[in-house]
């Protein structure tokens, strides 16, 4: 047998291309005679538009067209509400170009199409808009009050959604509590900041009636469906390609952004390719953001530290629109009990409109907020009960033999009951303690303190529901000429390494090298059933679909090879791109089997000579292709998960706080995580580490600074502080592998895992480090030097 | 493997044009360019060298890093006209003609030092430029982080990039 590829640390197939600068990101795709788009965006958070004058812009040399809402015909409607939910009292979505009102700084008001981007931007600046600015309220709590300035004139109190879920008997639990702790915490607004901003290009072929759209999206098939619907053309006449995409992290799963509709429209109207390449400022003021939630969480506990009840009420900032429904808030609300048994839960949220960029999922999608709430509450409870922070968690973790652990009454973002399927939570906690050196930390802390250094231990556990449905598909085909295996799935990659992990899955079934498995995804002409890349689902959902398909192709290969080699199927083994008679030198290459499995008329090469209708790989009487058989070695299958599969982990750190400079340095960081069976541990670690780095950004640096007038003061990478290599410490990542019982590969998702716990870990550590100054509280992230200075000042330092 | 450069096209906007002569990846280039065209746009759109990426257009992210007379520089903060008379190297020139990766590129691959690959050309050009400078390299952990401190990566969390720089030093026999 060949070496098993599933589980191997193999290098990525895609890397040489990317390293040579041969990647094909949207703006790299050569489109001859292309026109370029620039948008005019609102400078006001709320305003009435009295008039728009585009005359000067239209007259500017090099300008081909200028569009306002009056010029876009049937597109001048509110864009889709992607995920409807009855909790949304007044769902509002954006129009491609503002009509009448603007609702946030950055909203698209007009679109210029010109010969190049420079000219388009010049012309956009010539558009005169007469705005009547309106009052704004940026604070969610005040925005909910009667009489508050409205983001949408027709919606009082700015309430977008209100949702309550409960599990067990929370009132009974609080009545029985021996101790109740209560805490209010906040996570602030951030953004994905992918290194490649969003990008869309479109070409309309008038002769064939085909629209091709290159879109740096996480959801090409869904975009295609939407475009076909909006433009009233056959789905088969619309091809959406997500080529190489420079990071997504959720921001690119939303459809539609205005440009995704307007660029194809312009290409169809103007008869030339049209391109829109978002710049960094536009990414800050135009593309989705996430995070701000204010949680007030109460834990009902026994003196032993066992938590018997949880009540959480939170406000969720949804920005000016709610196109992705309540997904972010719902994920937060259903992740609120973390890895703990807590059998009685009441969780309620209000989603609030604010005059800011719309909120849709950013890596983590509500989980970092939920984790911050429950973990900070657990720390406070431990403190109040005089328990060690590891110990209180140990006493509440779901035990290994309690899985599957259902939270009756809580529906996850897939509409299904929250059921944590498997794990070794206690072991993960013990590993974190051991790896960090928790036992000896108190001594180290005391010694440091004697030297005037303030060390703190931070700790947090998390769970992550991953691999959401509804489904994905896989197509596997052995190429008859090269013997290489072509694999397709419908979702798309933004750097995760799908092409390699999917290749590993297939390689094991077909006995080929992963380098000989060519994965093509994100192109609706290659495969057009499926959903999108989100919710840490690609490995789980597409991975299992591809696995199932590869198993089917394997059976076909074995049968055909047995026929060709005239032995029993059991005597065949697949390795080195060939089928071998076990224990012999007799073999037939996969390419030859694939060719022979396709009854041919014309012998165009040597292998084909053996595959003419007189010598097929199929052994039967009758026509060359038996009834019910398909030619070639090929199959398509689908995987639809019965529910989400829950990954989890424990993060712990030693931080050092300088009370003079109010800076935080992470001295040691430990991550124990479990995403089930790992297809490629090197890539898993890459995902986890990337998540941790984003988590560190969210814990200490990345804060979108909206001013009282609704302007975003730090809409640049100069001012919004994405960590460099100098800000990210070494991290010790240890794996547990508890196979998911829910899918054939036993895998769970890992894409978002790393970022979830970091804010809670850092706040926990800083609190611990500054204990000598009193019981300072850090209930908000990112945790800025100003917050530390303020806390120290309040404590009299 | 290097993509052929695009031939000169007709001027498209009403911008004033200036003739520039420069060397790009060893090839002498003479073009008429808009006075305000960024070097990054010139490389990408006029020459078709799309391996140089643009991440922020304000000199912070480092995606657009190229070598300007051997030194890493931001092509998004450089005008094409400023490159007149200079020698520019882009990522397209780094691998061998048959596509064999340069040791710096090989190190990134071995260490999983890239995910989406968007920041990668800028990272590689920066690291390459530093390795090709005269004098000692600080290959301590802090030294490598400092070396990388002009390039943002949003995917990897940097540790594998730090490892890749260390591995590249090994492959190149640098200490």
């Amino acid at each position: 047998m060949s070496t098993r590829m599933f589980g191997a640390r193999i290098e990525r197939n895609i890397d040489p291309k990317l390293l040579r600068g041969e990647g094909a990101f949207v703006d790299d795709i050569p489109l001859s005679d292309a026109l370029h788009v620039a948008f005019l965006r609102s400078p006001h958070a709320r305003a009435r538009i009295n008039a728009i004058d585009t005359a000067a812009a239209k007259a500017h040399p090099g300008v081909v067209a200028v569009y306002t809402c009056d010029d876009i015909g049937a597109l001048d409607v509110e864009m889709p509400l992607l995920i409807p939910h009855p909790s949304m009292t007044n769902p509002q979505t954006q129009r491609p170009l503002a009509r009448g009102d603007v609702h946030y700084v950055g909203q698209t008001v007009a679109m210029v199409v010109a010969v190049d981007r420079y000219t388009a931007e010049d012309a956009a600046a010539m558009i005169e808009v007469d705005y009547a600015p309106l009052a704004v309220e940026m604070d969610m709590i005040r925005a909910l009050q009667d009489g508050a300035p409205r983001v949408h004139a027709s919606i009082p109190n700015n309430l977008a959604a209100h949702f309550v879920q409960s599990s067990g008997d929370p009132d009974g639990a609080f009545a029985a509590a021996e101790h109740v702790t209560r805490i209010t915490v906040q996570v602030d607004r951030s953004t994905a900041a992918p290194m490649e901003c969003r990008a869309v290009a479109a070409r309309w072929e008038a002769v064939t009636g085909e629209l091709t759209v290159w879109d740096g999206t996480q959801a090409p098939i869904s975009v295609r469906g939407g475009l076909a619907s909006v433009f009233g053309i056959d789905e088969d006449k619309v091809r959406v390609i997500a080529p190489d995409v420079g990071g997504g992290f959720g921001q690119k799963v939303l459809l539609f952004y205005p440009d995704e509709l307007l660029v194809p429209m312009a290409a169809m109207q103007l008869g030339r390719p049209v391109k829109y390449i978002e710049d960094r400022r536009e990414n800050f003021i135009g593309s989705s953001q996430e995070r701000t939630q204010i949680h007030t969480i109460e834990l009902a506990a026994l003196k032993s530290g066992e938590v018997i009840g949880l009540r959480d009420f939170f406000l969720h900032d949804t920005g000016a629109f709610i196109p992705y429904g309540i997904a972010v808030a719902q994920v937060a609300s259903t992740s609120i009990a973390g890895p703990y048994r807590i059998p009685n839960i009441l969780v309620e949220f209000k989603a609030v409109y604010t005059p800011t960029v719309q909120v849709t999922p950013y890596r983590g999608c509500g989980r970092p907020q939920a984790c911050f709430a429950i973990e900070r509450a657990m720390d406070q409870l431990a403190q109040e009960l005089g328990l060690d922070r590891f110990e209180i968690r140990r006493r509440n973790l779901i035990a290994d033999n309690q899985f599957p652990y259902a939270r009756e009454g809580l529906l996850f973002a897939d509409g299904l009951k929250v059921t944590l399927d498997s794990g070794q939570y206690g072991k993960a906690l013990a590993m974190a303690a051991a790896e960090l050196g928790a036992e000896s930390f108190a001594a180290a802390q005391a010694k440091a303190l004697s030297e005037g250094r303030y060390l703190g231990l931070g700790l947090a556990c998390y769970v992550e529901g991953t691999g959401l449905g509804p489904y994905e598909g896989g197509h596997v085909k052995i190429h008859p000429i090269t013997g290489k295996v072509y694999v397709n799935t419908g979702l798309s990659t933004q750097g995760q390494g799908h092409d390699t992990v999917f290749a590993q899955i297939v390689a094991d079934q077909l006995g080929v090298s992963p380098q000989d498995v060519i994965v093509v995804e994100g192109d609706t002409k290659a495969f057009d059933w499926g959903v999108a890349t989100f919710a840490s689902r690609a490995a789980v959902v597409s991975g299992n679909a591809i696995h199932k398909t590869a198993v089917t192709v394997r059976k076909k290969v074995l049968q055909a090879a047995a026929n060709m080699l005239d032995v029993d199927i059991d005597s065949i083994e697949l390795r080195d791109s060939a089928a071998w008679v076990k224990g012999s030198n007799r073999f037939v290459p996969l390419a030859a089997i694939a060719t022979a499995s396709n009854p041919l008329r014309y012998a165009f090469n040597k292998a084909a000579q053996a595959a003419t209708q007189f010598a097929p790989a199929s052994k039967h009487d009758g026509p060359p292709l038996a009834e019910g058989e398909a030619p070639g070695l090929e199959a398509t299958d689908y995987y639809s998960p019965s529910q989400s599969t829950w990954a989890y982990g424990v993060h712990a750190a030693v931080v050092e706080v300088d009370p003079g400079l109010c800076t935080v340095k992470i001295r040691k960081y430990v991550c124990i995580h479990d995403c089930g069976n790992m297809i490629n541990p090197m890539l898993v670690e890459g995902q986890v580490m990337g998540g941790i780095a984003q988590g560190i950004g969210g814990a200490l640096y990345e804060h979108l600074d909206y001013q009282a007038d609704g302007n975003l003061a730090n809409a640049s990478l100069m001012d919004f502080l994405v960590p460099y290599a100098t800000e990210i410490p070494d991290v010790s990542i240890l794996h547990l592998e508890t196979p998911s019982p829910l899918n054939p590969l036993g895998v769970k998702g890992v894409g978002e895992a790393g970022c979830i716990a970091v804010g809670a870990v850092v706040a926990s550590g800083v609190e611990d480090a500054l204990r000598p100054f009193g019981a300072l509280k850090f209930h908000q992230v990112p945790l800025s030097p100003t917050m530390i200075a303020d806390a120290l000042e309040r404590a009299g330092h | 493997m290097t993509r052929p450069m695009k031939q000169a096209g007709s001027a498209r906007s009403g911008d004033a044009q200036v003739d520039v002569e420069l060397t790009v990846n060893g090839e002498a280039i003479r073009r008429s360019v808009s006075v305000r065209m960024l070097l990054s746009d010139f490389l990408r759109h006029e020459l078709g060298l799309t391996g140089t990426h643009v991440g922020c257009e304000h000199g912070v992210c480092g995606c657009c890093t190229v070598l300007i007379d051997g030194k890493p520089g931001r092509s998004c903060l450089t005008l094409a006209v400023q490159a007149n008379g200079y020698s520019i190297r882009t990522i397209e020139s780094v691998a061998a003609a048959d596509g064999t990766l340069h040791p710096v590129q090989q190190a990134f691959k071995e260490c999983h030092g890239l995910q989406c690959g968007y920041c990668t050309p800028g990272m590689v050009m920066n690291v390459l430029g530093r390795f090709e400078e005269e004098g000692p390299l600080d290959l301590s952990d802090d030294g490598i982080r400092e070396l990388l401190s002009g390039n943002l990566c949003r995917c990897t969390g940097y540790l594998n990039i730090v490892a890749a720089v260390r591995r590249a030093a090994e492959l190149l026999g640098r200490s």
Side-chain angles (χ1 to χ4, degrees):
Chain A
M1 275 299 289
S2 52
T3 314
R4 190 161 185 250
M5 285 301 150
F6 189 109
R9 290 175 176 269
I10 63 166
E11 294 171 24
R12 304 198 314 168
N13 287 343
I14 198 175
D15 285 352
K17 170 182 100 159
L18 294 172
L19 282 158
R20 287 192 293 250
E22 294 166 1
F25 299 86
V26 171
D27 195 29
D28 302 342
I29 291 165
L31 292 172
S32 60
D33 208 24
L35 297 168
H36 298 261
V37 160
F39 285 98
L40 177 70
R41 295 172 180 275
S42 170
H44 299 289
R46 278 290 284 126
R48 281 289 301 167
I49 296 175
N50 293 325
I52 305 176
D53 181 353
T54 59
K58 281 178 172 155
H60 188 63
V63 170
V64 177
V66 179
Y67 296 92
T68 70
C69 61
D70 290 332
D71 309 310
I72 61 173
L75 295 193
D76 182 33
V77 292
E78 291 177 0
M79 292 188 283
L81 173 64
L82 291 175
I83 309 176
H85 191 274
S87 68
M88 282 185 284
T89 40
N90 289 295
Q92 291 288 314
T93 59
Q94 187 177 334
R95 289 165 180 268
L97 295 172
R99 170 171 290 286
D101 281 48
V102 287
H103 305 274
Y104 64 93
V105 173
Q107 187 174 348
T108 44
V109 173
M111 177 174 81
V112 177
V113 186
V115 291
D116 59 41
R117 176 67 180 243
Y118 295 77
T119 306
E121 288 188 19
D122 288 346
M126 295 172 186
I127 298 171
E128 296 283 344
V129 184
D130 177 8
Y131 292 103
L134 300 169
V136 296
E137 178 53 69
M138 302 303 292
D139 179 272
M140 274 199 292
I141 297 168
R142 288 197 296 270
L144 279 170
Q145 290 168 1
D146 290 342
R150 296 177 183 184
V151 177
H152 301 281
S154 63
I155 302 177
N157 305 88
N158 299 299
L159 183 66
H162 182 200
F163 194 42
V164 184
Q165 295 199 81
S166 77
S167 184
D169 174 18
D171 286 345
F174 276 82
E178 295 169 354
H179 184 91
V180 172
T181 199
R182 185 171 196 270
I183 183 174
T184 296
V185 302
Q186 178 167 341
V187 177
D188 285 341
R189 183 76 79 96
S190 187
T191 186
M195 292 319 300
E196 185 201 24
C197 296
R198 293 189 316 94
V200 180
R203 184 174 62 202
W204 168 249
E205 302 285 355
V207 174
T208 57
E210 287 174 333
L211 175 67
T212 304
V213 177
W214 293 264
D215 186 348
T217 178
Q218 297 173 219
I221 293 173
S222 303
V223 169
R224 184 195 64 163
L227 289 175
S229 164
V230 165
F231 294 116
I233 40 184
D234 265 3
E235 279 185 298
D236 269 7
K237 292 288 190 186
V238 182
R239 178 182 188 184
V240 176
I241 303 165
D244 292 323
V245 176
F249 315 115
Q251 187 183 69
K252 298 176 181 175
V253 79
L254 176 70
L255 56 136
F256 291 96
Y257 286 100
D259 44 89
E260 290 178 299
L261 295 174
L262 297 171
V263 167
M265 176 203 75
M268 293 168 77
Q269 287 187 3
L270 302 173
R272 287 170 68 177
V274 177
K275 204 180 240 195
Y276 167 65
I277 308 300
E278 183 187 63
D279 72 21
R280 182 56 62 183
R281 177 171 165 75
E282 292 180 294
N283 186 263
F284 274 106
I285 63 172
S287 288
S288 290
Q289 304 169 351
E290 200 216 291
R291 289 287 193 264
T292 307
Q293 289 181 356
I294 304 171
H295 287 250
T296 297
I297 182 169
E298 293 176 288
L299 300 181
L302 304 178
K303 289 219 165 65
S304 65
E306 184 184 352
V307 180
I308 57 173
L310 179 161
R311 282 197 294 240
D312 181 43
F313 172 79
F314 68 95
L315 298 180
H316 168 77
D317 178 358
T318 191
F321 298 100
I322 194 161
Y324 214 79
I326 61 164
V328 175
Q330 189 169 11
V331 168
S333 71
T334 44
S335 306
I336 192 68
Y340 308 115
R341 292 185 302 276
I342 313 182
N344 306 297
I345 298 167
L346 175 70
V347 60
E348 173 180 6
F349 66 80
K350 288 181 176 174
V352 184
Y353 289 116
T354 60
T356 59
V357 177
Q358 66 204 350
V359 166
T360 68
Y362 159 42
R363 192 180 207 170
C365 184
R367 300 174 185 90
Q369 299 95 312
C371 179
F372 194 69
I374 180 66
E375 291 300 304
R376 301 285 35 236
M378 290 299 270
D379 275 6
Q380 179 167 296
L381 181 64
Q383 178 76 15
E384 289 171 359
L385 295 177
L387 287 169
D388 174 74
R389 283 173 289 166
F390 284 91
E391 183 58 28
I392 196 161
R393 288 169 170 84
R394 198 173 290 128
R395 292 180 188 181
N396 284 286
L397 289 174
I398 297 166
D400 298 1
N401 62 9
Q402 289 178 305
F403 292 104
Y405 194 84
R407 301 200 191 278
E408 293 290 343
L410 295 194
L411 297 183
F412 195 50
D414 52 10
L416 302 171
K417 179 174 66 183
V418 171
T419 306
L420 300 112
D421 52 290
S422 57
Q424 304 172 69
Y425 294 177
K427 186 172 181 187
L429 184 68
M431 284 170 71
E435 181 69 10
L436 192 75
E439 290 230 338
S440 58
F441 176 73
Q445 188 181 36
K447 180 170 181 295
L449 188 60
S450 72
E451 297 163 358
R453 296 168 58 222
Y454 295 85
L455 297 184
L457 185 155
L459 171 66
C461 306
Y462 71 90
V463 293
E464 186 198 357
T466 73
L468 275 70
Y471 81 96
E472 291 294 339
H475 169 242
V476 174
K477 178 180 182 179
I478 300 176
H479 198 288
I481 305 294
T482 62
K484 291 191 178 180
V485 184
Y486 281 70
V487 175
N488 307 110
T489 188
L491 46 66
S492 61
T493 183
Q494 302 80 42
Q496 298 90 334
H498 295 173
D499 71 320
T500 305
V501 293
F502 295 158
Q504 288 175 266
I505 290 169
V506 171
D508 281 342
Q509 291 305 320
L510 300 182
V512 298
S513 150
Q515 287 76 38
D516 286 333
V517 181
I518 315 297
V519 176
V520 175
E521 57 185 330
D523 179 350
T524 59
K525 272 285 185 271
F527 195 84
D528 67 350
W529 294 107
V531 186
T533 300
F534 62 95
S536 305
R537 68 192 292 274
V540 179
V541 191
S542 278
N544 278 292
I546 289 166
H547 170 74
K548 285 171 69 181
T549 310
V551 168
T552 302
V553 173
R554 175 186 174 83
K555 284 179 187 155
K556 291 187 181 186
V557 172
L558 290 174
Q559 181 62 63
N563 294 346
M564 292 172 79
L565 293 163
D566 207 18
V567 293
D568 291 340
I569 283 180
D570 293 345
S571 307
I572 302 285
E573 66 177 344
L574 303 182
R575 60 180 161 85
D576 304 329
S577 294
W580 298 73
V581 178
K582 286 178 192 167
S584 82
N585 288 329
R586 294 184 60 216
F587 73 96
V588 53
L590 286 187
I593 304 171
T595 303
S597 300
N598 176 24
L600 290 171
R601 176 79 178 161
Y602 307 112
F604 50 76
N605 66 14
K606 198 170 175 190
Q609 286 174 19
T612 57
Q613 60 266 46
F614 306 107
S618 175
K619 270 192 174 173
H620 60 273
D621 297 327
L625 198 59
E627 193 60 34
E629 272 189 15
L633 299 174
E634 180 177 20
T636 299
D637 204 346
Y638 301 88
Y639 173 70
S640 183
S642 58
Q643 63 154 83
S644 295
T645 181
W646 288 70
Y648 66 94
V650 180
H651 289 201
V654 173
V655 304
E656 179 169 355
V657 183
D658 180 331
L661 293 172
C662 298
T663 50
V664 178
K665 285 248 187 295
I666 298 170
R667 293 297 178 202
K668 186 167 189 179
Y669 201 100
V670 171
C671 162
I672 316 297
H673 84 103
D674 186 344
C675 60
N677 293 331
M678 291 188 287
I679 304 168
N680 184 330
M682 182 170 80
L683 270 57
V684 166
E685 286 159 12
Q687 289 297 306
V688 170
M689 188 57 224
I692 289 173
Q694 286 186 6
I696 289 171
L700 290 168
Y701 307 111
E702 296 172 9
H703 167 72
L704 290 173
D705 188 13
Y706 279 100
Q707 304 293 290
D709 65 358
N711 255 295
L712 182 58
N714 59 344
S716 83
L717 288 176
M718 190 70 88
D719 303 306
F720 177 82
L721 304 176
V722 172
Y724 287 99
T726 38
E727 279 71 57
I728 302 301
D730 277 332
V731 172
S732 172
I733 298 172
L734 300 184
H735 307 290
L736 270 171
E737 287 187 89
T738 313
S740 169
L742 299 174
N743 62 67
L745 293 174
V747 297
K748 304 178 180 185
V750 72
E752 297 167 277
C755 74
I756 298 170
V758 186
V761 171
V762 168
S764 175
V766 170
E767 247 177 48
D768 190 42
L770 294 178
R771 191 90 51 207
F773 295 96
L776 309 188
K777 300 289 186 190
F778 293 96
H779 292 168
Q780 187 172 353
V781 282
L783 207 167
S784 66
T786 307
M787 289 177 190
I788 294 174
D790 289 349
L792 286 168
E793 194 178 314
R794 278 196 300 273
H797 297 277
Chain B
M1 297 291 285
T2 310
R3 249 181 252 175
M5 288 185 211
K6 270 171 68 174
Q7 297 307 302
S10 55
R12 295 179 298 183
S13 72
D15 289 354
Q17 305 278 312
V18 169
D19 288 340
V20 294
E21 288 185 36
L22 66 162
T23 305
V24 178
N25 297 337
E27 193 176 325
I29 302 286
R30 185 176 178 161
R31 292 287 165 98
S32 182
V33 299
S34 156
V35 290
R36 60 173 169 170
M37 178 172 281
L38 300 174
L39 177 59
S40 52
D41 286 345
F42 177 73
L43 294 170
R44 292 178 48 77
H45 303 315
E46 298 298 309
L47 301 185
L49 297 173
T50 53
T52 299
H53 296 153
V54 176
C56 72
E57 290 183 291
H58 51 272
V60 181
C61 76
C63 287
C64 67
T65 302
V66 297
L67 300 187
I68 304 173
D69 276 1
K71 287 199 179 325
R74 307 282 208 234
S75 62
C76 81
L77 293 185
T78 308
L79 295 167
V81 294
Q82 290 177 290
N84 189 40
Y86 283 85
S87 174
I88 308 295
R89 271 189 79 190
T90 71
I91 188 69
E92 285 86 352
S93 71
V94 177
D98 69 354
T100 303
L101 298 180
H102 182 279
V104 171
Q105 295 168 313
Q106 180 64 27
F108 270 73
K109 180 172 186 283
E110 287 178 16
C111 299
H112 186 30
L114 66 156
Q115 290 182 23
C116 80
Y118 197 77
C119 74
T120 307
M123 287 274 183
V124 169
M125 295 315 289
N126 176 35
V127 172
L128 185 70
R130 306 297 281 272
F131 272 70
E132 289 182 351
E133 281 171 14
E134 298 289 321
L137 273 171
D138 179 357
L139 291 171
S140 69
D141 204 57
D142 284 350
I144 293 174
R145 283 180 151 83
E146 189 59 34
L147 185 155
L148 295 170
S149 67
N151 292 73
L152 285 174
C153 168
R154 195 56 163 162
C155 294
T156 63
Y158 300 106
L159 298 191
N160 288 346
I161 298 177
V162 172
V165 174
R166 203 172 282 125
R167 175 69 180 141
E170 255 174 50
L171 292 172
L172 289 164
R174 293 291 300 262
S175 53

